[in-house]
Amino acid sequence: DTGVSQDPRHKITKRGQNVTFRCDPISEHNRLYWYRQTLGQGPEFLTYFQNEAQLEKSRLLSDRFSAERPKGSFSTLEIQRTEQGDSAMYLCASSFSPGGNYGYTFGSGTRLTVV
Amino acid sequence: SQKIEQNSEALNIQEGKTATLTCNYTNYSPAYLQWYRQDPGRGPVFLLLIRENEKEKRKERLKVTFDTTLKQSLFHITASQPADSATYLCALNAGNMLTFGGGTRLMVKP
């Protein structure tokens, strides 16, 4: 296991298009998180899963955003009808529940640019 | 409102000196606080965790303190090196996830 993998690393899309990102967490971890980060800011929480259940969603997560984690393994984050304000780095992280002792392991992120 | 504040201005220090970064929070009662390092274009990397009942935690050249009365954590890097140049993020548990501060950029000059 080489850590948390995210794909693609970079995505440029036209406004109004749909995009989907994938995250493969560390296999032993049962929690998976999505964060969004803009330049000069810290990561902002979007949503998290424990196994396959999506347990919490941020108010930042509009109805254009949807996340899934089928079978409690990899996760996808889809953004429909992208807007320029969606341009950001989308980070995925995984951890042992409840995650306090060892921190989160983050992937390298997917940088989205909406033109 | 809830806030986690880190100095948004970059911290510039000379190699060999001790870097001290500050994290202040309001309207949180965290059970623990974590520090992460983030390099440009990469995800954050976990460094240290300190619990509310711990005053200080050390790991190699790193030291973290946690004062729940002042609602503040200090992060120290001793004998700093140019390779320590990065953005450092503090994060605390808020419910079931971590909430992050905005980070402080550290530049260590040779």
Side-chain angles (χ1 to χ4, degrees):
Chain A
D1 203 347
T2 56
V4 177
S5 299
Q6 291 190 246
D7 184 68
R9 288 295 311 276
H10 303 275
K11 178 71 177 179
I12 301 174
T13 191
K14 290 184 179 179
R15 189 173 49 189
Q17 297 294 305
N18 299 344
V19 294
T20 300
F21 310 141
R22 177 179 170 125
C23 171
D24 287 272
I26 292 176
S27 55
E28 296 85 1
H29 289 173
N30 59 353
R31 284 202 175 182
L32 185 147
Y33 310 84
W34 285 98
Y35 282 80
R36 179 171 67 188
Q37 187 175 27
T38 53
L39 199 62
Q41 304 296 316
E44 294 176 300
F45 170 75
L46 293 178
T47 188
Y48 92 94
F49 294 82
Q50 178 143 328
N51 300 314
E52 66 274 13
Q54 187 175 17
L55 296 185
E56 194 157 344
K57 294 194 289 187
S58 164
R59 287 173 295 174
L60 291 174
L61 211 65
S62 77
D63 56 6
R64 296 184 298 105
F65 288 69
S66 63
E68 294 182 343
R69 192 183 183 196
K71 302 178 184 178
S73 56
F74 71 92
S75 176
T76 58
L77 178 69
E78 181 183 17
I79 309 174
Q80 296 183 325
R81 305 181 304 280
T82 52
E83 301 172 356
Q84 287 189 319
D86 297 331
S87 296
M89 174 78 89
Y90 289 84
L91 293 163
C92 175
S94 67
S95 75
F96 293 107
S97 176
N101 287 328
Y102 304 105
Y104 291 6
T105 303
F106 280 86
S108 291
T110 294
R111 179 163 296 284
L112 173 67
T113 303
V114 181
V115 297
Chain B
S1 62
Q2 295 178 315
K3 288 182 185 178
I4 304 172
E5 293 180 308
Q6 296 184 254
N7 193 340
S8 58
E9 292 182 9
L11 177 63
N12 294 292
I13 65 167
Q14 205 66 35
E15 182 176 8
K17 300 293 186 184
T18 296
T20 299
L21 286 68
T22 305
C23 175
N24 295 296
Y25 60 92
T26 54
N27 293 321
Y28 284 103
S29 297
Y32 53 81
L33 187 146
Q34 301 182 15
W35 284 87
Y36 288 76
R37 169 184 172 140
Q38 187 172 26
D39 292 288
R42 312 293 294 183
V45 174
F46 173 72
L47 296 174
L48 277 171
L49 175 149
I50 186 166
R51 297 188 180 279
E52 60 179 338
N53 60 348
E54 297 174 317
K55 295 293 185 186
E56 182 179 299
K57 183 77 71 78
R58 291 175 186 261
K59 179 183 175 183
E60 298 173 354
R61 294 185 296 111
L62 309 180
K63 184 179 85 171
V64 173
T65 62
F66 192 11
D67 188 326
T68 55
T69 301
L70 290 178
K71 296 187 183 298
Q72 180 181 79
S73 175
L74 298 178
F75 176 80
H76 307 271
I77 306 175
T78 58
S80 59
Q81 305 165 0
D84 295 326
S85 298
T87 295
Y88 291 86
L89 300 158
C90 72
L92 48 84
N93 67 307
N96 291 304
M97 79 295 291
L98 288 179
T99 300
F100 286 83
T104 297
R105 187 177 174 203
L106 173 66
M107 299 287 292
V108 181
K109 298 181 179 178

